Amino acid sequence: MKLTKHAHACVTLEKDDTRLVVDPGAFTPDAAAAVAPAHAVLITHEHFDHFDHFDEQVVAAALQARPELEVYGTAAVAAALGSHGGRVHVVAAGDTFSVGSVPVGVHGHGHARIHPDIPCPDNVGYLLDDGAVHHPGDAYCVPDAPVRTLLLPTSGPWTKLGEAADYVRAVKSERVVDIHELMLSDLGRRSTADLLGEKGLTGIPIERLEPGADTQV
């Protein structure tokens, strides 16, 4: 499977003739271009005060333009988009489905806490292709299945490096690729990778992919 990194939390995954996009958000300048050829869009959460994971206008326009496109997300995501003839699917922890040749498992249920005064929306993570990749959204959810490549959020109002280190240790993946990085400077990304990485708290290198770069997973 080929993984392409886009800005912030968005990634594209391609296997055989199947293309999926996870979390095309407003912080991803090429979100519309990423969604345009996709067979499915997977959205981890919708939040009332930010749209870094879910650009509703981009996804709604793609659903309108392409009758074959399927979208998967939480109940709040589905409520924002509408059913589009049953092509917008509500998913929750424990659900499984397939998009083309790619099996998908759904894990987790809640956004990480930012502050007691800020509500925590539903948040799901997606484990793709029998553990090849796990995208947790905005949470440190540990799937109850092996993970080969973990996409690790490294910046945001809810992130804490000590918790991120414990998360990587708990998942025990073979690889870690950073996502959700836009709130860090280049120095911040390097410092985070050093602290969490191979010579830091986890013993696993934190791989940094720039937007547009791809890797095999």
Side-chain angles (χ1 to χ4, degrees), residues 152 154 161 176 178 184-208:
L152 177 68
T154 55
L161 294 186
V176 178
D178 82 330
L184 294 177
S185 65
D186 183 66
L187 175 61
R189 286 186 77 187
R190 285 190 280 116
S191 176
T192 295
D194 288 344
L195 181 65
L196 297 179
E198 186 173 18
K199 297 181 180 179
L201 293 171
T202 70
I204 302 174
I206 308 298
E207 301 177 36
R208 296 172 52 194

Side-chain angles (χ1 to χ4, degrees), residues 107-109 123 125 134 136 139-143 150 167 171:
H107 297 263
H109 56 82
N123 178 101
H134 178 58
Y140 294 134
C141 167
V142 179
L150 172 65
Y167 180 54
V171 174

Side-chain angles (χ1 to χ4, degrees), residues 1 11 51 87 100 110 116 126 144 155 158 162 164 181 192 207 210:
M1 174 181 282
V11 297
F51 308 96
R87 292 186 292 126
Y126 295 103
D144 56 357
S155 78
W158 59 275
E181 76 289 347
T192 295
E207 301 177 36
E210 298 306 319

Side-chain angles (χ1 to χ4, degrees), residues 13-113:
L13 296 149
E14 298 173 77
K15 181 182 178 182
D16 303 326
D17 295 324
T18 301
R19 181 185 178 103
L20 301 89
V21 177
V22 186
D23 279 357
F27 293 175
T28 304
D30 62 341
V35 169
H39 296 90
V41 175
L42 280 54
I43 300 165
T44 60
H45 69 283
E46 179 270 346
H47 204 289
F48 72 96
D49 65 351
H50 64 264
F51 308 96
D52 54 333
H53 287 250
F54 172 37
D55 190 325
E56 182 182 335
Q57 292 184 338
V58 164
V59 178
L63 281 164
Q64 188 69 29
R66 299 177 50 227
E68 71 279 11
L69 181 65
E70 306 279 334
V71 175
Y72 299 82
T74 63
V77 169
L81 290 172
S83 70
H84 286 268
R87 292 186 292 126
V88 178
H89 308 272
V90 176
V91 295
D95 289 345
T96 59
F97 58 93
S98 293
V99 180
S101 60
V102 181
V104 183
V106 184
H107 297 263
H109 56 82
H111 191 288
R113 192 175 90 156

